[in-house]
Amino acid sequence: MAHAVRFKETGGPDVLRWEEVVVGDPGPGEVRIRHEAVGLNFADTYFRTGLYPAPLPAGMGVEGAGVIEAVGEGVTDFAEGDRVTYTGSPLGAYSTERVMPVDSLIKLPDAIPFATAAAMTMRGLTASYLLRRIHPLKSGDTVLLTAAAGGVGLIVCQWARLLGIDVIGTVSTEEKAGLALAHGAAHVVNHRTEDVAKRVREITDGAGVPLVLDSIGRTTFESSIDSLARRGLLVCFGTASGPTPPIHAMQLAVKGSLFVTRPALADYIADPAERAELSGELFAHVAAGDIAIEINQRYSLEDAARAHRDLESGTTTGSSVFVL
């Protein structure tokens, strides 16, 4: 019998329930997937708390990897036995098996294990668009990256080094500082004990950075703004500490004619050709060993509530996955 983690009301981790479910056969344009691994992402907690609204009751999770067991009518690009990974809607990745629309699927090369895929599809594609699409970065540039020892952070640090880009990474502990440096960060700043914007100005000889990649949100917004060079860009791509405060246009002018954007991964992988290009470059780097995916926490799906507590506590590093 198939099982899935579901929730009937929003709230803390205890609203998550492990239940038997009926999966059924795939319809037109769909496949049935048997999961081998499932990703744990901060976005999952946003759906659970209601920050991201979802019709209830609902499944949980947006990222998984596994094997196609059945295909529906009209499916031509995928077949039974194909290894696939995905990130995106509909919710329901926290499951042993599920029916999925093929539009979200990405074929997984044999060189990449399922757990690695579940740990990197969302994080890796996020790192991909942040470095390859959102700003015209060039070798020699310096960027500020919050949560540099997190799942996205460690991938960005490594990928930036491949591109010749220096990363100033913020961390919360000495352990995380060492992890970020080991994965390619040029500098680290402990945001709990140091003034981030001041350190950025010191490192950049007063200039600031042209780009800040901020996944934390509410508590880092001011320091991120204050770290930017004239006409710099703040990319708010996450809200781990809460939503970003309201932005006043005049504040951006006074601080150097700054730009702010709040992108969503879905808008960078909606086009199949662009998704294939971004995922292809990511997979090639991982398969070649140029980017290592750090899976530092593994859970069973039955322990989803504990996994959410660990993630929200800020004690995790690298990526976290559920293994089946």
Side-chain angles (χ1 to χ4, degrees), residues 22-34 67-82 84 86 89-91 97-105:
V22 176
V23 176
D25 296 322
E30 296 179 332
V31 299
R32 187 174 70 240
I33 299 172
R34 183 186 76 250
V67 178
I68 293 177
E69 291 196 319
V71 299
E73 181 182 350
V75 174
T76 57
D77 293 335
F78 295 90
E80 291 182 29
D82 280 354
V84 294
Y86 65 86
S89 60
L91 292 175
E97 57 185 276
R98 70 180 301 195
V99 169
M100 276 285 292
V102 295
D103 292 346
S104 298
L105 300 183

Side-chain angles (χ1 to χ4, degrees), residues 171-178 190-192 314 317:
V171 296
S172 59
T173 67
E174 289 304 310
E175 177 191 5
K176 291 182 178 182
N190 188 323
H191 67 82
R192 290 183 175 173
T317 60

Side-chain angles (χ1 to χ4, degrees), residues 77-78 84-89 100-107 121-122 124-126 128-129 133 159 265-284:
D77 293 335
F78 295 90
V84 294
T85 186
Y86 65 86
T87 181
S89 60
M100 276 285 292
V102 295
D103 292 346
S104 298
L105 300 183
I106 303 170
K107 288 187 178 179
T121 301
M122 173 179 278
L125 288 173
T126 297
S128 182
Y129 87 75
R133 290 291 188 275
W159 205 329
L265 172 60
D267 292 317
Y268 288 85
I269 60 174
D271 176 63
E274 187 166 28
R275 181 171 65 238
E277 184 177 350
L278 292 174
S279 62
E281 187 175 4
L282 169 66
F283 292 161

Side-chain angles (χ1 to χ4, degrees), residues 180-269:
L181 288 169
H183 285 77
H187 309 272
V188 292
V189 181
N190 188 323
H191 67 82
R192 290 183 175 173
T193 60
E194 299 178 89
D195 183 321
V196 173
K198 180 180 178 181
R199 284 290 294 126
V200 169
R201 296 289 173 181
E202 292 171 352
I203 293 168
T204 60
D205 296 324
V209 294
L211 180 69
V212 175
L213 304 175
D214 189 337
S215 63
I216 297 180
R218 180 180 59 81
T219 61
T220 53
F221 177 76
E222 289 297 333
S223 61
S224 292
I225 283 283
D226 289 341
S227 296
L228 284 168
R230 184 176 287 112
R231 293 164 60 182
L233 171 64
L234 169 59
V235 181
C236 303
F237 72 99
T239 53
S241 68
T244 301
I247 298 169
H248 300 288
M250 186 53 68
Q251 178 188 25
L252 302 179
V254 169
K255 290 182 177 290
S257 299
L258 305 179
F259 298 86
V260 178
T261 185
R262 203 325 180 174
L265 172 60
D267 292 317
Y268 288 85
I269 60 174

Side-chain angles (χ1 to χ4, degrees), residues 19 109 249 270:
E19 300 177 350

Side-chain angles (χ1 to χ4, degrees), residues 148 154 157-158 161 175-186 188 292 294:
L154 292 182
C157 286
Q158 295 174 83
R161 181 171 56 184
E175 177 191 5
K176 291 182 178 182
L179 194 59
L181 288 169
H183 285 77
V188 292
E294 297 288 346

Side-chain angles (χ1 to χ4, degrees), residues 1 17 24 48 60 65 78 100 113 117 170 177 184 188 207 217 235 257 291 296 305 314 316:
M1 189 70 179
R17 296 286 184 268
R48 193 204 72 226
M60 174 57 64
F78 295 90
M100 276 285 292
T170 72
V188 292
V235 181
S257 299
I291 293 177
N296 294 339
T316 63

